[in-house]
Structures are given as C-alpha cells and as structure tokens.
Amino acid sequence: MTTAAAKPVTMAQALQRAMRDAMAEDPTVHVMGEDVGTLGGVFRVTDGLTKEFGEDRCTDTPLAEAGILGTAVGMAMYGLRPVVEMQFDAFAYPAFEQLISHVARMRNRTRGGMPLPLTIRVPYGGGIGGVEHHSDSSEAYYMATPGLHVVTPATVEDAYGMLRAAIASDDPVVFLEPKRLYWSKAQWSPDAPTAVEPIGRAVVRRPGRSATLITYGPSVPVCMEAAEAARAEGWDLEVVDLRSLVPFDDETVCASVRRTGRAVVVHESNGFGGPGGEIAARVTERCFHHLEAPVLRVAGFDIPYPPPMLEKHHLPGVDRVLDAVARLQWEAES
Amino acid sequence: MTVQELPGDAAYRPTPPPAWQPRTDPGPLLPDPEPYRVLGTDAAAAVDQELLLRLYAELVRGRRYNAQATALTKQGRLAVYPSSTGQEACEVAAAMALEERDWLFPSYRDTLAAVARGLDPVQALTLLRGDWHTGYDPHEHRIAPLCTPLATQLPHAVGLAHAARLKGDDVVALAMVGDGGTSEGDFHEALNFAAVWQAPAVFLVQNNGFAISVPLAKQTAAPSLAHKAVGYGMPGRLVDGNDAAAVHQVLTEAVERARRGGGPTLIEAVTYRMDAHTNADDATRYRGESEVDVWRAHDPILLLERELTRRGLLDDRVRNAAAEAAETMAAALREQMNADPVLDPMDLFTHVYAERTGQLREQAAQLTAELDAAADAEGEAR
C-alpha cells in the first residue's frame, strides 16, 4: 500500500522523472541537447532540470547534432554519463557518423579500455501530425550497428524504468521515445516504487493462445487494441512487447511463438530492410517446426514518411493487423 | 511624424533595433599574416638551450621512426603507414607542450606525437599493423585512439576538456587535424562548441599542403586556416610548422592560456608532407619534384641544426647521441614488429558490449566449434 494517492502521469513526465532521479543520485549524469534547458525540451521532457540542477548539468547546446553527440563522447571519456537529446528522429542523421564511427565502437576499439556510458534519446515515429523530418522511424539503422543497445518503451512505467536502466548502462543506448505516446497516461502514486531492470527483456503484454503479435513502441497499443477486437473473430492473440531491439530477446519471443504457432510482426517503420524482416527470420530459424503459417509482417509502406495529411494511410492500424491475423489461416488458404 | 507617435494599435509599433555590437573584438583574434618563426630570427636567442637539444633529439628519433615504419610496410609488417616525414616539428612540439595530465587527440598521421608523448612505438602501430584497432589503454597515456575518420576526434577533445573543467581539473585537450579535415562539418562544430563553452581545448591544424592529392587552394578560400578562428570567436595563430621552437612556443602559450581558463585557440602550422599520403599513394601524380625541393631546404631538422650550430651546441657528441638513440629505437621496433602477433580469435566477441548479448554468445559458441574442428583436423593430418 502506498500512502500518497495515485494520479495520472504521462510518459513524458515519467521520462523527466527518470532523468531527475538519475541526476539526483549520480552527479556524473549530464543532460544536454538543443532546447533541453530553459525551454524544457520541445516536448517538455526535460522540463525543470536546468532549474533544479543548473546549466552545467542540463545544458542548452549549440544547434548541431554531430557536435552534441561528439562532445558527449568526450565527456563520457572523462567519466561523465551524458544523456543527449536528438529532438526529432530525422534530426539525428547529422550525428550518425559520430554514432556509428565512434559511439558504437569505442569499447571494442580500445579492448574495453574506453567504454562510453551514453544515452541518446531520440523521439521517433509518426502519428502526431508532424511535417517532413519529424516522424521517421529510424530503428533499423541503429539495429544494424553493432555496439549500440536499441530500446523503446511503450508504457509509462517502462519509460521510467528503461530510461533509468539506459542511463545506468555502461554501454551506449539509443533510447527511442515513441512520441505519439508522450501524452499516454498511467495512474501513478508519487511515492510508488519504480522498477528498474536491466535492458534486454521482452514482456508478454497480453497472454493468448492462437497467435503472437510481436511489436514494440508506438505499435504496442495498436496491437493491444487489435487483440481485443480479434476476440470477436475467435482469435486469442498474445502480444509481445519487445522493449529492446538490441539485444534481442529470442527466448521470450520464441517461447511465445512455440506456444501459439503463428506470428505477426508489427511496426510502423518501413518493412523492406526493416526490423520485421530480421525478427521474422529469427523466429523462422528457431521455431520452424512449430509454425502453422509463415511469419507475417505488418509495417509502414516502403516510402519516405508521408506528409501528415496522408500518414493515417501509411501507419499500420488495427485493421491492417487484423487482416494479417486473418491471413494466418494458412492451411485453409493453401 | 516619428514611429513612436503613430496612432493606433500599439502592437504595430516596431521596437527600434539596438545598436549593433560585435560580440567580441575580432582584432585580437586575427592571426598575423606571416607564419610565426623563431629559428633564424632574433627570437631564437631567447629559447632555452635544453629545450632546443630535446627538440633536436626527438626530431631525429621521429625522422628515424618514420623511415623505419615505412620500411616495415615494404616488408609487409604494416598494412599501411601515413608518414609524417617533414612534419616532425609539429608532432614533437605538440606532444612536448602538454603536461602529463593533459590529453592528446591525434589523427591517423600523428603516431609520432603519441610516441613523443611516451607511448610505446609498437603499441602506436597496432592499428596500422592490423592486430587490433587501438594498441594501448587511452586512459593510461591520456591519448585518444588514433582517429581515422577526419576531424571526428575534435568534438571528443572539446567534450573531454569541458568535462574536466566541470570537474574542476586543470586539464587541457589538444586535438590534431590536417588541412583537409578543416573542411569537415565536425571541425566546424567542434570549434563552435569549444568557443561557446570556453573549453580548455587547443586545435592544431597541420597544413601539409595536400589532402591526399587535393592541394590547399582547392580545399579552402580562406586567407589562412588560422583565419577560420575569428568566425568562432577564438584566437587564430599561424606558425611555421617546420620551426620546432616556434611551434613549441605557440603551442605552449595556447595550452597555458586554455589551462588558465582563457578558452580555446586554433593554430595552423604551415608544413609539408615530404612523403606520399601513405606508402600506397603516388605523389608524383599531383606534385613536382621542384616543389618538394623548396621544402627540402626548409627541413625542420636542418633549421634546428643551424640554430644549434650557431650556438656551438651541435658537436659530434650531440649528433651521435641523437642518431644512436634513434637507431636503438628503430632496431627495437624492427625486432618487435618482425615477431608475429599472437591473436585470440575469441577477442572478436569480448569487447562489443559490457556483457555479451545472447546473439554474441551463440556466435562465440559457433566460432569455438569451428576452431575446435580445425584443431582436430590438424591433429588428424599429423
């Protein structure tokens, strides 16, 4: 029993609390990025941190993503734990050379002599009516780079726990924040204990017996809704929230697919060369004899992210997930 | 009627612009148009004798190191070597301007600066031999890994210097880059961050004339690379990169200024790459021998020898001692580099993450099985 009354907390507030708690506990944690200080971030995720910890701990940087990440590398070399914000998904691209050529490799290059405890926060994905370069899902690029952890929360509780774990990690973590879930809420008691577990484990969000929906981040609520809707069709769907794309939790995913015999991977980034292809291949390699149907993918179209007035046609919604589930009746079709 | 007297909505009344004030006085930031020189000028008399002799010994050793490493590429012992022959004054003076607690951020051509800073010559060549990417613990020597992408180590230097200052340590970071590297975005971002944060960082551009084959004239339209400093609000200094005493003095001043909290400096050292870009490059395709001859007459060792001779310091004892020390280093390097490094294939998986992921555990098991099978096959063949 907690003493204080529970109240609604948004994902953005949970992320902010994670940074505040980490900064309070560990003086080496530094938050930095464009607009993270006085403004509190364009999504207010860093609201109040400069006021509480000063400009040296939560710093408004010049507008330069490579510079933000590159200087954070040097700060991490000197024993700090930088938490950098890349404001919007597509704004992170100028920092890719630093990310791929240095952040991901520094531990390996120096045989463990120079690990980089860095967290790179990237608000990602669509569904908020953003104009061009404000809605990309870039996770496949990050996943393709050994040396990076790539994680993405889907719930308010995970947003807190996973960001704490990312900041505590001795390895660089690309922390993808599904920005259309920033305002999703959970009832939270202010003094409730908040779980921090090591990153790398998927969770079963909803148990089921007839098929598994494998998903993450912004597509988790879509899959939960689809699972509810599918009950009417006689489908009892299990929903696995990956939470961590790297490392990938083969165990939880494959255990689920072996139980259900059918799987659909759901994400909003494009399908070709996207995370779903890797996931479907892994599942097929490990669970072939348990599968009653091919592993299907429901993804965004293979197009540059569309303008906001068309994004509803691009983003995989409940109906597209249900269509895929219907196609899992493989024996009947073949 | 003035603007202030206009009738109607106050919201339409424009605020008069404040008088324009430059943020900093560009005057003191501008480099002198002529590269700063000490050797062969009146200023040389003021240079400490011990310093000149130390610079001389390091230059001779450095020249020998470059020759030995180039020879090792011909014997297949090094995959590649980017020689700094002709640039030894920059390399050595840069390293000697630092205190032990300071950090060096070298580019791939700056092996010699790392060695002059005390790094084991063999460890400095690990990257180029190919047995691992970095052959030393960066924290032990306070030398960042030799950086292959251009200019990307400069923001690291700024971040480290900034972090040290936040922690209250009087540590300076020196970052080295070539003339080609100044065209990269990271060069710009690093200098801008350093100036805004007043980070204790020093940027040394070794302008050696060419980025592989592209001459400086096709690299920049700036009056000098040192002039770029003004745009960031930091002082720019132009120095003769073959004048070891001048480089040492300018570097030392910049390092001390940074240490005192005076902020960053951009230094352009004008020098020349006597060898090709690497042993794999053919420099005759883009420059003539007559151009090289001009620089041969301005050799950094020659300049220093002239000053030492003028002072009566360059006797046979000094020459021989420097040559012998260089030869001893080269012989040791040759011997150690001729031994085949023993590598553990399982190292492939050891330092990717703090803890191996499930995927890497599986792949390590696969490689172990492959190695065991190969060992068994070899055993049966015997």
Side-chain angles (χ1 to χ4, degrees):
Chain A
M1 277 297 284
T2 52
T3 48
K7 61 173 187 176
V9 169
T10 66
M11 180 181 280
Q13 288 169 328
L15 292 165
Q16 180 203 97
R17 184 171 154 191
M19 279 182 275
R20 181 183 298 117
D21 289 356
M23 291 171 89
E25 280 175 27
D26 180 353
T28 67
V29 176
H30 285 244
V31 171
M32 56 197 281
E34 168 74 4
D35 300 308
V36 299
T38 308
L39 183 68
V42 293
F43 295 105
R44 304 294 178 269
V45 175
T46 55
D47 198 16
L49 297 180
T50 294
K51 205 173 174 190
E52 190 169 343
F53 297 100
E55 284 180 25
D56 283 347
R57 297 282 307 281
C58 180
T59 308
D60 276 332
T61 63
L63 201 170
E65 288 76 13
I68 293 167
L69 188 52
T71 51
V73 167
M75 291 165 73
M77 284 177 175
Y78 206 78
L80 302 184
R81 282 184 183 271
V83 181
V84 307
E85 180 179 296
M86 289 283 137
Q87 202 159 88
F88 282 93
D89 32 59
F91 295 6
Y93 301 153
F96 264 42
E97 185 179 17
Q98 283 294 339
L99 186 74
I100 287 156
S101 292
H102 294 296
V103 172
R105 300 174 191 225
M106 197 63 82
R107 172 187 288 280
N108 184 253
R109 167 188 295 156
T110 59
R111 293 184 199 248
M114 193 169 247
L116 296 178
L118 257 169
T119 303
I120 302 146
R121 294 181 39 241
V122 187
Y124 82 117
I128 62 157
V131 295
E132 194 182 9
H133 298 119
H134 290 71
S135 300
D136 287 15
S137 295
S138 330
E139 57 267 33
Y141 303 136
Y142 302 114
M143 288 172 70
T145 305
L148 301 175
H149 290 297
V150 185
V151 304
T152 176
T155 68
V156 174
E157 291 82 358
D158 268 0
Y160 179 88
M162 287 169 61
L163 185 52
R164 290 299 308 270
I167 296 170
S169 169
D170 286 332
D171 282 321
V173 180
V174 176
F175 192 89
L176 298 166
E177 299 176 1
K179 55 175 119 54
R180 71 174 138 125
L181 299 184
Y182 269 152
W183 302 279
S184 63
K185 286 177 184 167
Q187 291 293 318
W188 239 22
S189 165
D191 57 359
T194 33
V196 180
E197 59 172 301
I199 50 186
R201 300 301 294 181
V203 290
V204 176
R205 288 273 168 231
R206 181 191 192 283
R209 288 176 291 106
S210 41
T212 303
L213 301 180
I214 305 166
T215 188
Y216 56 87
S219 294
V220 171
V222 174
C223 288
M224 294 297 278
E225 199 183 327
E228 281 307 305
R231 286 167 59 177
E233 307 290 323
W235 286 94
D236 180 19
L237 298 180
E238 182 149 305
V239 177
V240 173
D241 174 2
L242 292 173
R243 305 204 289 180
S244 171
L245 297 169
V246 182
F248 189 84
D249 185 357
D250 290 297
E251 200 181 321
T252 303
V253 170
C254 291
S256 172
V257 175
R258 286 185 189 118
R259 275 195 301 275
T260 63
R262 291 177 170 86
V264 182
V265 188
V266 183
H267 59 62
E268 69 176 59
S269 81
N270 50 302
F272 188 86
E278 173 63 31
I279 296 165
R282 301 188 78 79
V283 168
T284 306
E285 283 172 355
R286 286 164 177 74
C287 311
F288 185 70
H289 292 295
H290 299 265
L291 287 172
E292 305 289 338
V295 180
L296 299 180
R297 285 173 289 166
V298 175
F301 294 130
D302 297 326
I303 55 171
Y305 197 87
M309 292 172 88
L310 288 173
E311 68 179 345
K312 65 176 183 290
H313 301 294
H314 167 70
L315 291 172
V318 171
D319 288 347
R320 237 174 249 168
V321 176
L322 291 175
D323 283 350
V325 169
R327 279 159 55 213
L328 289 174
Q329 297 281 24
W330 188 251
E331 284 170 330
E333 282 180 18
S334 56
Chain B
M1 200 159 45
T2 66
V3 170
Q4 280 73 19
E5 288 161 356
L6 269 174
D9 191 345
Y12 284 96
R13 205 172 288 166
T15 312
W20 170 254
Q21 291 286 335
R23 296 168 57 86
T24 16
D25 177 5
L29 306 180
L30 274 167
D32 287 333
E34 273 294 303
Y36 180 68
R37 293 194 172 91
V38 168
L39 298 177
T41 74
D42 295 343
V47 182
D48 179 65
Q49 167 178 327
E50 285 306 308
L51 175 65
L52 286 178
L53 288 168
R54 271 174 56 217
L55 284 168
Y56 177 69
E58 281 294 331
L59 252 66
V60 170
R61 198 167 78 107
R63 176 70 47 96
R64 186 69 188 86
Y65 185 91
N66 277 323
Q68 185 58 62
T70 302
L72 286 165
T73 62
K74 292 175 182 151
Q75 295 154 16
R77 285 294 174 180
L78 279 182
V80 69
Y81 184 70
S83 166
S84 58
T85 296
Q87 302 178 220
E88 292 93 343
C90 302
E91 299 281 318
V92 160
M96 283 170 60
L98 295 177
E99 302 285 338
E100 203 180 321
R101 63 188 177 286
D102 297 333
W103 274 76
L104 176 71
F105 287 78
S107 83
Y108 56 83
R109 198 182 297 286
D110 302 318
T111 344
L112 203 55
V115 171
R117 188 161 165 70
L119 184 64
D120 180 274
V122 174
Q123 288 185 347
L125 289 176
T126 304
L127 171 76
L128 301 166
R129 173 156 68 171
D131 45 328
W132 201 258
H133 304 307
T134 304
Y136 51 92
D137 180 347
H139 287 284
E140 184 189 343
H141 301 278
R142 284 162 298 281
I143 302 170
L146 293 171
C147 190
T148 317
L150 292 186
T152 52
Q153 79 279 23
L154 307 187
H156 304 170
V158 175
L160 182 135
H162 177 62
R165 191 146 161 262
L166 290 177
K167 285 190 169 185
D169 299 340
D170 65 344
V171 165
V172 176
L174 168 65
M176 298 170 79
V177 66
D179 42 305
T182 64
S183 299
E184 292 278 4
D186 279 42
F187 172 83
H188 158 67
E189 298 192 19
L191 265 70
N192 191 49
F193 270 69
V196 170
W197 285 350
Q198 285 294 285
V202 176
F203 303 96
L204 174 62
V205 181
Q206 290 182 69
N207 169 11
N208 67 11
F210 295 91
I212 303 190
S213 68
V214 178
L216 187 72
K218 290 185 182 172
Q219 198 66 244
T220 181
S224 78
L225 297 172
H227 273 78
K228 292 180 181 250
V230 184
Y232 301 105
M234 72 173 76
R237 295 284 175 265
L238 194 54
V239 62
D240 182 339
N242 286 19
D243 181 335
V247 176
H248 186 266
Q249 189 180 325
V250 170
L251 260 294
T252 304
E253 282 168 12
V255 167
E256 282 175 1
R257 186 169 161 274
R259 204 185 305 286
R260 286 196 311 269
T265 306
L266 172 66
I267 300 163
E268 175 188 355
V270 184
T271 183
Y272 197 78
R273 193 189 75 213
M274 299 304 290
D275 290 341
H277 166 62
T278 69
N279 54 298
D281 167 40
D282 176 10
T284 63
R285 290 176 75 105
Y286 52 84
R287 69 186 189 191
E289 202 51 29
S290 58
E291 177 183 323
V292 183
D293 283 340
V294 172
W295 283 92
R296 212 163 263 139
H298 194 62
D299 185 280
I301 297 181
L302 204 64
L303 297 184
L304 201 50
E305 281 183 343
R306 271 194 212 129
E307 176 61 25
L308 290 171
T309 307
R310 199 183 63 76
R311 290 200 192 184
L313 293 172
L314 191 68
D315 52 21
D316 284 349
R317 194 187 56 81
V318 169
R319 270 185 199 275
N320 292 341
E324 272 170 32
E327 210 46 55
T328 307
M329 178 274 303
L333 180 60
R334 217 165 36 234
E335 192 186 340
Q336 291 176 76
M337 293 296 286
N338 278 332
D340 290 319
V342 181
L343 306 180
D344 181 357
M346 299 318 289
D347 270 359
L348 290 177
F349 307 102
T350 308
H351 300 297
V352 185
Y353 297 99
E355 270 182 56
R356 261 178 222 184
T357 60
Q359 289 79 55
L360 289 183
R361 281 197 299 274
E362 282 178 14
Q363 289 159 25
Q366 180 198 335
L367 182 58
T368 303
E370 287 172 10
L371 293 169
D372 289 349
D376 288 349
E378 201 179 323
E380 280 168 26
R382 273 200 196 117

XYZ file of all heavy atoms in Angstrom, chain B residues 182-232:
380
model
N 39.841 20.302 -42.058
C 39.164 21.558 -41.714
C 37.918 21.781 -42.566
O 37.111 22.650 -42.254
C 40.096 22.775 -41.893
O 40.446 22.911 -43.275
C 41.351 22.641 -41.053
N 37.758 20.997 -43.647
C 36.551 21.137 -44.463
C 35.384 20.324 -43.917
O 34.262 20.468 -44.380
C 36.837 20.690 -45.905
O 37.837 21.509 -46.464
N 35.660 19.448 -42.966
C 34.616 18.581 -42.434
C 33.699 19.340 -41.472
O 34.133 20.250 -40.770
C 35.252 17.398 -41.671
C 36.002 16.425 -42.558
C 35.074 15.417 -43.236
O 33.848 15.523 -43.083
O 35.609 14.529 -43.932
N 32.452 18.904 -41.430
C 31.489 19.528 -40.517
C 31.901 19.424 -39.061
O 31.663 20.338 -38.272
N 32.512 18.315 -38.692
C 32.888 18.134 -37.288
C 33.937 19.146 -36.837
O 34.004 19.494 -35.659
C 33.383 16.703 -37.034
C 32.218 15.745 -36.849
O 31.246 15.862 -37.612
O 32.279 14.891 -35.946
N 34.773 19.596 -37.779
C 35.748 20.645 -37.449
C 34.985 21.896 -37.011
O 35.255 22.482 -35.960
C 36.621 20.932 -38.673
C 37.543 22.124 -38.515
C 38.759 21.994 -37.880
C 37.181 23.370 -39.021
C 39.613 23.085 -37.736
C 38.026 24.470 -38.884
C 39.242 24.319 -38.235
N 34.015 22.268 -37.818
C 33.216 23.463 -37.511
C 32.483 23.309 -36.179
O 32.532 24.192 -35.317
C 32.218 23.706 -38.642
C 31.042 24.514 -38.246
N 31.136 25.842 -37.898
C 29.735 24.178 -38.100
C 29.940 26.289 -37.573
N 29.080 25.310 -37.682
N 31.833 22.175 -35.999
C 31.022 22.001 -34.790
C 31.896 21.975 -33.541
O 31.539 22.520 -32.499
C 30.150 20.741 -34.909
C 29.184 20.879 -36.081
C 28.082 19.835 -36.129
O 27.798 19.199 -35.102
O 27.488 19.665 -37.211
N 33.054 21.355 -33.674
C 33.956 21.285 -32.523
C 34.449 22.674 -32.128
O 34.449 23.045 -30.946
C 35.144 20.372 -32.834
N 34.855 23.453 -33.111
C 35.370 24.792 -32.794
C 34.270 25.673 -32.217
O 34.495 26.449 -31.286
C 35.993 25.440 -34.041
C 37.506 25.245 -34.140
C 37.875 23.808 -34.438
C 38.121 26.172 -35.167
N 33.073 25.531 -32.780
C 31.960 26.337 -32.278
C 31.615 25.985 -30.838
O 31.454 26.858 -29.981
C 30.750 26.149 -33.193
C 29.665 27.148 -32.899
O 29.931 28.348 -32.799
N 28.449 26.677 -32.721
N 31.517 24.692 -30.552
C 31.231 24.258 -29.176
C 32.336 24.738 -28.228
O 32.059 25.220 -27.129
C 31.125 22.728 -29.101
C 29.743 22.191 -29.323
C 29.145 22.268 -30.570
C 29.024 21.587 -28.297
C 27.868 21.767 -30.797
C 27.743 21.083 -28.502
C 27.168 21.162 -29.755
N 33.569 24.571 -28.663
C 34.700 24.930 -27.794
C 34.654 26.416 -27.430
O 34.878 26.801 -26.283
C 36.017 24.592 -28.477
N 34.330 27.244 -28.429
C 34.314 28.684 -28.181
C 33.123 29.077 -27.302
O 33.259 29.872 -26.374
C 34.270 29.430 -29.513
N 31.965 28.493 -27.589
C 30.768 28.819 -26.795
C 30.974 28.387 -25.337
O 30.614 29.105 -24.413
C 29.520 28.141 -27.403
C 28.327 28.257 -26.458
C 29.178 28.771 -28.749
N 31.549 27.212 -25.161
C 31.761 26.691 -23.803
C 33.064 27.204 -23.178
O 33.347 26.890 -22.028
C 31.810 25.150 -23.838
C 30.476 24.502 -24.017
C 29.250 25.106 -23.958
C 30.225 23.108 -24.292
N 28.265 24.176 -24.183
C 28.826 22.940 -24.371
C 31.037 21.997 -24.455
C 28.227 21.702 -24.623
C 30.443 20.767 -24.710
C 29.046 20.625 -24.791
N 33.867 27.919 -23.957
C 35.195 28.334 -23.485
C 35.955 27.130 -22.921
O 36.544 27.174 -21.824
C 35.071 29.461 -22.438
C 34.725 30.811 -23.060
C 35.847 31.345 -23.943
O 36.862 31.807 -23.452
N 35.685 31.259 -25.267
N 35.914 26.059 -23.683
C 36.554 24.812 -23.245
C 38.077 24.927 -23.344
O 38.585 25.561 -24.264
C 36.063 23.659 -24.114
N 38.781 24.316 -22.411
C 40.257 24.329 -22.483
C 40.770 23.355 -23.540
O 41.331 22.315 -23.225
C 40.688 23.928 -21.074
C 39.540 23.149 -20.523
C 38.295 23.640 -21.197
N 40.546 23.718 -24.793
C 40.957 22.866 -25.910
C 41.848 23.673 -26.844
O 41.665 24.872 -27.014
C 39.736 22.359 -26.672
N 42.818 22.999 -27.434
C 43.695 23.626 -28.422
C 43.595 22.794 -29.702
O 43.664 21.569 -29.648
C 45.160 23.672 -27.927
C 46.068 24.228 -29.006
C 45.261 24.494 -26.644
N 43.380 23.471 -30.814
C 43.269 22.784 -32.104
C 44.526 23.078 -32.915
O 44.848 24.240 -33.164
C 42.045 23.279 -32.871
C 40.762 23.110 -32.102
C 40.232 24.166 -31.364
C 40.079 21.903 -32.101
C 39.060 24.024 -30.649
C 38.899 21.748 -31.381
C 38.394 22.813 -30.653
N 45.220 22.025 -33.304
C 46.420 22.195 -34.133
C 46.150 21.623 -35.516
O 45.962 20.415 -35.675
C 47.623 21.483 -33.508
C 48.886 21.481 -34.377
C 49.384 22.896 -34.652
C 49.988 20.633 -33.737
N 46.093 22.517 -36.501
C 45.957 22.084 -37.886
C 47.350 21.987 -38.482
O 48.080 22.979 -38.528
C 45.129 23.089 -38.721
C 44.995 22.591 -40.163
C 43.772 23.318 -38.103
N 47.724 20.792 -38.899
C 48.976 20.657 -39.641
C 48.635 20.793 -41.112
O 48.153 19.848 -41.733
C 49.617 19.302 -39.372
C 50.155 19.152 -37.965
C 50.821 17.800 -37.787
O 51.870 17.541 -38.355
N 50.212 16.937 -37.007
N 48.863 21.976 -41.630
C 48.622 22.210 -43.051
C 49.836 21.731 -43.809
O 50.832 22.443 -43.927
C 48.356 23.701 -43.288
C 48.359 24.068 -44.761
O 48.363 23.199 -45.624
N 48.354 25.357 -45.032
N 49.749 20.500 -44.332
C 50.909 19.922 -45.025
C 50.760 19.998 -46.534
O 51.429 19.304 -47.270
C 51.169 18.486 -44.548
C 50.066 17.523 -44.940
O 49.188 17.854 -45.734
N 50.102 16.327 -44.385
N 49.839 20.854 -46.976
C 49.764 21.143 -48.407
C 48.743 20.349 -49.193
O 48.175 20.846 -50.153
N 48.503 19.101 -48.785
C 47.632 18.230 -49.570
C 46.735 17.375 -48.684
O 47.169 16.883 -47.656
C 48.467 17.271 -50.439
C 49.272 17.969 -51.495
C 50.570 18.380 -51.220
C 48.725 18.228 -52.733
C 51.324 19.026 -52.188
C 49.477 18.875 -53.710
C 50.771 19.283 -53.447
N 45.486 17.197 -49.148
C 44.626 16.163 -48.577
C 44.649 15.019 -49.580
O 43.962 15.078 -50.599
C 43.220 16.697 -48.384
N 45.464 14.017 -49.310
C 45.894 13.021 -50.297
C 46.460 13.769 -51.517
O 47.634 14.097 -51.518
C 44.796 11.992 -50.670
C 44.295 11.266 -49.387
C 45.413 10.941 -51.623
C 43.404 10.065 -49.653
N 45.623 14.077 -52.514
C 46.173 14.737 -53.709
C 45.638 16.152 -53.900
O 46.099 16.878 -54.765
C 45.815 13.907 -54.953
O 44.417 13.962 -55.184
N 44.644 16.531 -53.101
C 43.987 17.825 -53.329
C 44.744 18.937 -52.602
O 44.878 18.902 -51.381
C 42.512 17.770 -52.857
C 41.845 19.126 -53.037
C 41.758 16.690 -53.610
N 45.243 19.918 -53.365
C 46.037 20.981 -52.741
C 45.158 21.952 -51.949
O 43.940 22.018 -52.158
C 46.683 21.691 -53.929
C 45.749 21.431 -55.071
C 45.123 20.091 -54.819
N 45.805 22.699 -51.072
C 45.082 23.604 -50.170
C 44.186 24.579 -50.942
O 43.083 24.897 -50.510
C 46.078 24.383 -49.302
C 45.414 25.227 -48.207
C 44.858 24.358 -47.101
C 46.388 26.254 -47.642
N 44.658 25.028 -52.110
C 43.887 26.004 -52.887
C 42.510 25.457 -53.260
O 41.563 26.220 -53.449
C 44.661 26.394 -54.141
N 42.401 24.148 -53.395
C 41.102 23.552 -53.710
C 40.359 23.133 -52.449
O 39.265 22.563 -52.522
C 41.294 22.341 -54.627
C 41.736 22.717 -56.020
C 41.787 21.503 -56.923
C 42.285 21.911 -58.300
N 42.528 20.749 -59.164
N 40.965 23.338 -51.301
C 40.364 22.931 -50.024
C 39.633 24.087 -49.365
O 38.622 23.897 -48.699
C 41.474 22.438 -49.094
C 41.021 21.605 -47.925
C 40.440 20.292 -48.381
O 39.271 20.041 -48.181
N 41.242 19.459 -49.023
N 40.175 25.293 -49.528
C 39.624 26.442 -48.805
C 39.902 27.723 -49.568
O 40.898 27.813 -50.288
C 40.239 26.549 -47.396
O 39.654 27.670 -46.714
C 41.745 26.751 -47.441
N 38.998 28.692 -49.377
C 39.224 30.018 -49.954
C 39.598 31.014 -48.860
O 39.739 32.205 -49.117
C 37.964 30.483 -50.679
N 39.759 30.533 -47.634
C 40.095 31.424 -46.518
C 41.524 31.946 -46.690
O 42.366 31.257 -47.282
C 39.974 30.672 -45.197
N 41.808 33.151 -46.182
C 43.176 33.693 -46.285
C 44.195 32.738 -45.681
O 45.294 32.572 -46.191
C 43.114 34.996 -45.476
C 41.671 35.330 -45.336
C 40.901 34.052 -45.450
N 43.827 32.131 -44.569
C 44.635 31.056 -43.980
C 43.659 30.208 -43.179
O 42.537 30.645 -42.901
C 45.727 31.618 -43.066
O 45.176 31.992 -41.809
N 44.072 29.012 -42.817
C 43.183 28.176 -41.999
C 43.049 28.770 -40.601
O 42.024 28.616 -39.945
C 43.708 26.740 -41.948
C 43.741 26.046 -43.316
C 44.444 24.701 -43.226
C 42.338 25.886 -43.875
N 44.089 29.480 -40.161
C 44.041 30.124 -38.846
C 42.984 31.221 -38.817
O 42.408 31.518 -37.762
C 45.411 30.696 -38.485
N 42.704 31.820 -39.974
C 41.673 32.862 -40.030
C 40.301 32.333 -39.640
O 39.427 33.091 -39.238
C 41.596 33.454 -41.441
C 42.555 34.579 -41.669
N 43.897 34.376 -41.916
C 42.370 35.923 -41.683
C 44.499 35.541 -42.075
N 43.599 36.499 -41.937
N 40.079 31.045 -39.825
C 38.769 30.483 -39.500
C 38.415 30.701 -38.037
O 37.241 30.700 -37.661
C 38.737 28.988 -39.837
C 38.793 28.735 -41.341
C 38.759 27.258 -41.674
C 38.850 27.054 -43.179
N 37.617 26.568 -43.784
N 39.400 30.855 -37.196
C 39.171 31.022 -35.755
C 38.275 32.220 -35.461
O 37.436 32.175 -34.552
C 40.509 31.184 -35.039
N 38.450 33.290 -36.216
C 37.741 34.545 -35.931
C 36.234 34.326 -35.944
O 35.507 34.861 -35.105
C 38.129 35.625 -36.968
C 37.482 36.953 -36.614
C 39.633 35.760 -37.043
N 35.770 33.537 -36.902
C 34.337 33.284 -37.014
C 33.746 32.596 -35.804
O 32.539 32.667 -35.558
N 34.578 31.898 -35.067
C 34.101 31.199 -33.869
C 34.283 32.027 -32.613
O 33.749 31.689 -31.561
C 34.821 29.847 -33.726
C 34.596 28.974 -34.928
C 35.578 28.775 -35.879
C 33.339 28.396 -35.137
C 35.343 28.016 -37.003
C 33.095 27.631 -36.258
C 34.094 27.451 -37.194
O 33.847 26.715 -38.308
